[in-house]
Amino acid sequence: MSDNQLPLWEVFIQSKTGLPYKHVGSVHAADAEMALQNARDLYTRRNEGRSIWVVPSDAIVASVPEDEDSFFDPSDDKIYRHPTFYEMPKGAKHI
Amino acid sequence: MENLKLEELFQEKLDREEKIEPKDWMPEKYRKHLIRQVSQHAHSEVIGMQPEGNWITRAPSLRHKVVLLAKIQDEAGHGLYLYSACETLGISRDELNEQLHTGKAKYSSIFNYPTLNWADIGAVGWLVDGAAIVNQVSLQRTSFGPYARGMVRICKEESFHQRQGYEIMAEMAMGSQEQKEMAQDALNRLWWPSLMMFGPHDADSPNSGNAVKWKIKRESNDELRQKFIDKTVDQAKVIGLSIPDPDLKWNEERGHYDFGEINWDEFYQVINGNGPNNVKRLAHHKRAHDEGEWVREAATAYARKQTIKKNVA
Ligand SMILES: [Fe+2]
Ligand SMILES: [Fe+2]
């Protein structure tokens, strides 16, 4: 029989309020509710999270690794976006 | 780009200790090697639930029972983390299951040994999880990102597994004469199979060449085995049990224990399907999978109905 393992969902967990959601892995589930429950059972058995996102894997759009260089190139030569670019007069503090 | 050039860049990346992520270019052989290794690892976690599950209903106290349940539930989790990592390499869960069922994919031979009594549950946690930990700690530095991350998560959970096993062994070793004999007997039976978990000696290990070059494997079978022996021998001493190896002795010069020759004949017998429980383990897995078919069907039908309802409303 062809794939009967139910659709794939990617799981993101926030461990504490104030922290970003982090990708932890995936689960198989028939619908969103089941995906959430499976993600809870699988990835938060020891209070690792206080909030979970599940996203159908095929809904994720990702940049292509082969294009990494050209894709991120526009930011390469803009060193003036970093504070170290600027010369501060001697004696200036807390800046 | 030429494959040769790509492969060069790939190796340079590895040499800089950078991780490989699922969508990155990788040699087909690297992908195949990982699918084989990660799926074998996943299958081991899942099949490994059987010898322990065998004792849930007969655990000697409620405390032992909840602990064993939690431990086995973790192993199911480990299997799923690893299947999840493996699927990022472009193989479906169904194919993975099928490879297990047809015998194309293996799982760790240790789980083909029976758990005859409660002391075996102690010995499994102490020795089998103990050996797995040594291997998995090393794999936290493996080159494929999802596999390495899975290992970090697994290692955090494993230390309780080994401690609960060692606690059982200690309880029995310090109990009645009969209990102590049971503990020693379990150690006698599971010691050598645990050493075999690390695989053949480096000199006879057919898969390790590329695995080392590609940084999938970070330490050799013999190095890992030695680490396990060195720490376990002392743990046995603490609870007054003796390791069933007449050749075992401390080697001052090496700073390690020397140990006797492993019965590789037995190792290959079990790998090739002639272990005490190979047939039973696979049959049980297949049955559980088939009997779950209606659940998957019902869940799919329910999800379909919900979507239709939503679209109509
Ligand atoms: Fe495990
Ligand atoms: Fe474990």
Side-chain angles (χ1 to χ4, degrees):
Chain A
M1 165 162 193
S2 68
D3 201 287
N4 64 352
Q5 289 300 291
L6 311 179
L8 195 63
W9 304 69
E10 298 302 321
V11 181
F12 299 80
I13 289 181
Q14 183 187 41
S15 58
K16 266 193 239 160
T17 49
L19 293 179
Y21 285 73
K22 224 164 118 181
H23 181 247
V24 290
S26 61
V27 292
H28 289 266
D31 55 34
E33 193 189 343
M34 188 195 255
L36 271 178
Q37 286 167 353
N38 287 354
R40 175 201 58 196
D41 292 348
L42 185 56
Y43 292 105
T44 62
R45 286 196 302 285
R46 289 174 177 79
N47 288 319
E48 291 94 333
R50 45 105 27 213
S51 175
I52 301 178
W53 289 347
V54 289
V55 182
S57 299
D58 56 15
I60 291 184
V61 182
S63 62
V64 186
E66 278 82 54
D67 299 342
E68 188 179 323
D69 287 343
S70 57
F71 190 72
F72 293 104
D73 175 53
S75 82
D76 271 0
D77 55 356
K78 295 177 182 59
I79 48 171
Y80 45 85
R81 283 177 175 166
H82 299 277
T84 45
F85 177 76
Y86 299 91
E87 271 172 48
M88 293 294 103
K90 256 201 192 104
K93 282 182 191 157
H94 308 301
I95 181 158
Chain B
M1 240 186 297
E2 298 277 312
N3 258 22
L4 216 63
K5 178 76 187 150
L6 284 169
E7 211 161 325
E8 226 171 78
L9 290 173
F10 174 79
Q11 190 63 46
E12 279 169 16
K13 207 164 150 187
L14 291 174
D15 294 340
R16 287 194 303 268
E17 289 297 327
E18 278 177 40
K19 300 286 181 217
I20 305 302
E21 293 297 335
K23 294 220 158 80
D24 294 347
W25 186 89
M26 60 185 87
E28 249 345 90
K29 277 187 181 162
Y30 176 85
R31 185 187 301 277
K32 281 220 176 85
H33 188 110
L34 271 168
I35 289 180
R36 191 176 54 73
Q37 178 168 336
V38 179
S39 69
Q40 178 172 326
H41 198 156
H43 297 324
S44 302
E45 302 282 354
V46 170
I47 297 288
M49 294 161 74
Q50 292 185 39
E52 295 188 302
N54 184 31
W55 280 89
I56 291 174
T57 55
R58 292 174 286 172
S61 75
L62 189 58
R63 180 181 191 271
H64 287 111
K65 189 173 185 164
V66 292
V67 167
L68 186 59
L69 265 170
K71 197 260 186 201
I72 296 172
Q73 195 189 11
D74 271 357
E75 304 302 2
H78 297 176
L80 293 173
Y81 304 155
L82 287 161
Y83 284 129
S84 164
C86 200
E87 287 171 76
T88 67
L89 289 158
I91 185 164
S92 73
R93 183 77 66 83
D94 244 31
E95 287 172 275
L96 292 169
N97 263 328
E98 194 185 304
Q99 290 184 352
L100 173 66
H101 291 164
T102 57
K104 189 181 173 222
K106 306 271 183 223
Y107 55 87
S108 182
S109 289
I110 189 81
F111 302 118
N112 288 321
Y113 290 87
T115 41
L116 303 175
N117 58 48
W118 181 250
D120 287 16
I121 296 303
V124 165
W126 176 35
L127 302 173
V128 176
D129 287 76
I133 289 169
V134 171
N135 187 35
Q136 292 175 148
V137 164
S138 178
L139 283 170
Q140 290 181 109
R141 293 169 51 237
T142 195
S143 61
F144 185 56
Y147 192 25
R149 293 193 283 276
M151 284 301 112
V152 171
R153 183 171 264 283
I154 285 177
C155 283
K156 273 192 204 143
E157 302 182 357
E158 281 291 352
S159 61
F160 125 61
H161 297 183
Q162 196 189 16
R163 291 176 72 136
Q164 64 86 31
Y166 189 55
E167 188 187 82
I168 293 173
M169 289 304 265
E171 273 175 339
M172 295 190 78
M174 291 160 192
S176 67
Q177 187 54 33
E178 212 187 341
Q179 286 175 315
K180 182 167 182 172
E181 277 163 20
M182 278 171 76
Q184 182 63 53
D185 168 64
L187 172 56
N188 291 350
R189 279 179 289 109
L190 284 160
W191 174 252
W192 292 101
S194 301
L195 298 192
M196 292 176 201
M197 283 174 70
F198 297 95
H201 284 309
D202 298 347
D204 317 310
S205 185
N207 292 317
S208 57
N210 278 333
V212 172
K213 185 176 102 183
W214 289 330
K215 308 204 179 209
I216 295 173
K217 202 168 169 54
R218 306 306 308 248
E219 284 166 284
S220 78
N221 293 356
D222 285 331
E223 283 167 344
L224 294 168
R225 184 163 23 237
Q226 185 74 59
K227 270 192 186 168
F228 171 70
I229 291 171
D230 290 347
K231 50 182 200 171
T232 310
V233 169
D234 294 331
Q235 291 163 2
K237 269 186 206 152
V238 170
I239 55 175
L241 297 179
S242 47
I243 303 287
D245 178 358
D247 296 322
L248 188 85
K249 70 170 188 299
W250 180 251
N251 183 326
E252 194 68 65
E253 216 173 288
R254 291 203 308 127
H256 293 294
Y257 281 99
D258 288 338
F259 54 97
E261 197 39 66
I262 294 166
N263 182 351
W264 293 112
D265 225 35
E266 176 183 327
F267 176 75
Y268 288 110
Q269 282 290 326
V270 181
I271 278 196
N272 292 325
N274 304 317
N277 275 329
N278 297 52
V279 175
K280 196 170 145 192
R281 297 284 186 251
L282 270 188
H284 184 81
H285 190 277
K286 268 184 221 161
R287 202 184 65 221
H289 185 71
D290 292 344
E291 287 176 357
E293 180 72 50
W294 72 270
V295 180
R296 293 187 291 274
E297 265 172 24
T300 310
Y302 177 76
R304 208 181 302 127
K305 225 168 139 184
Q306 293 303 105
T307 332
I308 292 170
K309 250 196 210 157
K310 212 164 71 189
N311 291 344
V312 170

